């Protein structure tokens, strides 16, 4: 029988509830699953046919340690080069250069970067982060620049994006791809307050999630992005492409989640089985 490690963090030893349906689906395919924290001392990663990254949500404060761990795991899904790319949102520059529609983003790595918020303000985030923690919306330059300065002082590159008012009405649409094929989509309500910074609330902020049928335009952007990712990295077991209404109302990519994204398996019948099948295909 094949053996898979479902990789989590020490704070979620039993996995996030959404991922608990995966082990039974793997068992139905003849694959045993153990839940293992990525930093568990003495874990024998070579003993597994595959290690599947899922709830490793404590990595932002330990990014280099996490990536060094990923480099050591012999059979990792998604692979270490993918994790290295996706955990730093400076990848948006590459997506934009490839001609994909993305939220225009300025990355700030040194003090003194002037910020000129438009009528709807700007969003400041750490370039490495999860769950909207330490992200914030600002309507004035003083607040935005202070936020950037605080991130830089903590050794964290910052990113600045225009606030897109369409998010207030439409929210985010997350398109989930399993085994290279579109699986399902969800609606995520707005995450940021009207003004101010999202402070830590555990590993991630509570989310308002519901199943959603994406529009044709959202599917087009998601499918084109997923195809580009597959060409860039090869076939991926899972990927999530988050899109929001752009300045003209047409969808733009907010981010690509390829490391440890919530896949919202419970919102779509058969999604856990589809992920298990994608994992099975990766076992050599």
């Amino acid at each position: 029988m094949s053996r898979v490690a479902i990789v989590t963090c020490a704070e979620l030893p039993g996995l996030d509830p959404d991922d608990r349906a995966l082990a039974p689906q793997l068992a139905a395919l003849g694959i045993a699953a153990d839940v293992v924290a990525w930093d568990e001392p003495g874990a024998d990663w070579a003993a597994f046919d595959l290690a599947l990254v899922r709830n490793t949500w404590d990595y932002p404060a330990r990014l280099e340690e996490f990536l060094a761990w990923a480099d050591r795991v012999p059979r990792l899904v998604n692979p270490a080069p993918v994790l290295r790319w996706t955990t730093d949102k400076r990848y948006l520059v590459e997506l934009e250069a490839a001609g994909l529609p993305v939220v225009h983003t300025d990355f700030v790595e040194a003090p003194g970067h002037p910020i000129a918020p438009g009528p709807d303000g700007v969003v400041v985030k750490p370039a490495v982060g999860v769950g909207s923690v330490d992200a914030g919306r600002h309507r004035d330059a003083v607040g935005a620049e202070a936020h950037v300065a605080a991130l830089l002082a903590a050794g964290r590159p910052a990113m600045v994006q225009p606030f897109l008012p369409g998010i207030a009405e439409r929210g985010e649409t997350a398109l989930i791809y399993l085994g290279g094929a579109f699986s399902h989509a969800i609606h995520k309500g707005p995450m940021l307050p009207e003004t101010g910074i999202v402070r830590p609330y555990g590993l991630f902020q509570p989310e308002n999630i519901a199943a959603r049928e994406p529009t044709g335009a959202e599917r087009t952007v998601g499918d084109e992005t997923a195809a580009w990712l597959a060409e860039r990295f090869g076939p991926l077991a899972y990927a999530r492409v988050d899109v929001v209404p752009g300045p003209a109302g047409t969808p733009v990519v907010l981010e690509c989640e390829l490391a440890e994204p919530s896949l919202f398996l419970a919102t779509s019948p058969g999604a856990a089985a589809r992920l298990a099948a994608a994992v099975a295909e990766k076992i050599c």
Side-chain angles (χ1 to χ4, degrees):
M1 175 179 281
S2 298
R3 186 178 173 211
V4 165
I6 302 177
V7 187
T8 185
C9 63
E11 293 180 61
L12 286 172
L15 295 176
D16 182 72
D18 190 60
D19 285 297
R20 293 173 190 163
L22 181 56
Q25 295 296 334
L26 289 169
L29 299 175
I31 301 169
D34 297 348
V35 179
V36 188
W38 68 270
D39 58 351
E40 182 172 312
D44 183 6
W45 299 104
F48 295 99
D49 295 284
L50 183 148
L52 176 69
V53 180
R54 291 310 309 126
N55 304 150
T56 58
W57 294 332
D58 61 349
Y59 77 81
R62 306 164 62 191
L63 179 61
E64 290 308 316
E65 182 183 352
F66 175 71
L67 294 177
W69 162 82
D71 287 336
R72 294 193 302 269
V73 179
R75 293 171 293 277
L76 189 66
V77 171
N78 283 324
V82 177
L83 270 57
R84 186 172 295 276
W85 184 86
T86 192
T87 48
D88 188 325
K89 292 183 178 62
R90 283 174 282 197
Y91 65 71
L92 290 171
V93 174
E94 188 175 349
L95 292 179
E96 190 171 36
L100 293 165
V102 303
V103 179
H104 179 73
T105 307
D106 292 323
F107 290 92
V108 185
E109 300 183 45
H113 182 86
I115 299 174
D120 297 300
V122 295
V123 173
V124 175
K125 308 175 187 176
V128 176
V130 297
S132 297
V133 173
D134 294 328
R137 180 183 177 187
H138 304 277
R139 297 179 180 274
D140 63 277
V142 173
E145 290 171 2
H147 188 174
V148 168
L151 291 172
L152 295 177
R156 307 174 72 186
M159 52 192 289
V160 182
Q161 300 172 318
F163 179 81
L164 301 173
I167 294 175
E169 179 178 346
R170 177 73 177 166
E172 299 178 24
T173 300
L175 298 103
I176 293 95
Y177 296 81
L178 303 176
F182 175 74
S183 171
H184 58 287
I186 60 97
H187 162 263
K188 185 188 299 185
M191 296 288 290
L192 299 181
E194 282 292 316
T195 187
I197 302 171
V198 176
R199 296 306 183 186
Y201 185 94
L203 290 171
F204 54 88
Q205 291 299 112
E207 297 176 325
N208 179 16
I209 300 298
R212 164 173 277 177
E213 184 67 31
T215 66
E218 289 171 338
R219 271 296 305 271
T220 296
V221 171
D223 290 355
E224 289 178 350
T225 304
W228 184 89
L229 292 168
E231 183 176 350
R232 173 74 164 76
F233 295 110
L236 297 172
Y238 57 86
R240 199 182 91 200
V241 180
D242 294 352
V243 302
V244 294
T250 56
V252 293
V253 175
L254 181 65
E255 57 187 347
C256 296
E257 297 271 14
L258 311 180
E260 33 52 56
S262 293
L263 298 172
F264 308 108
L265 302 175
T267 67
S268 176
R274 292 191 289 274
L275 177 57
V279 172
E281 289 182 359
K282 295 293 184 180
I283 296 176
C284 300

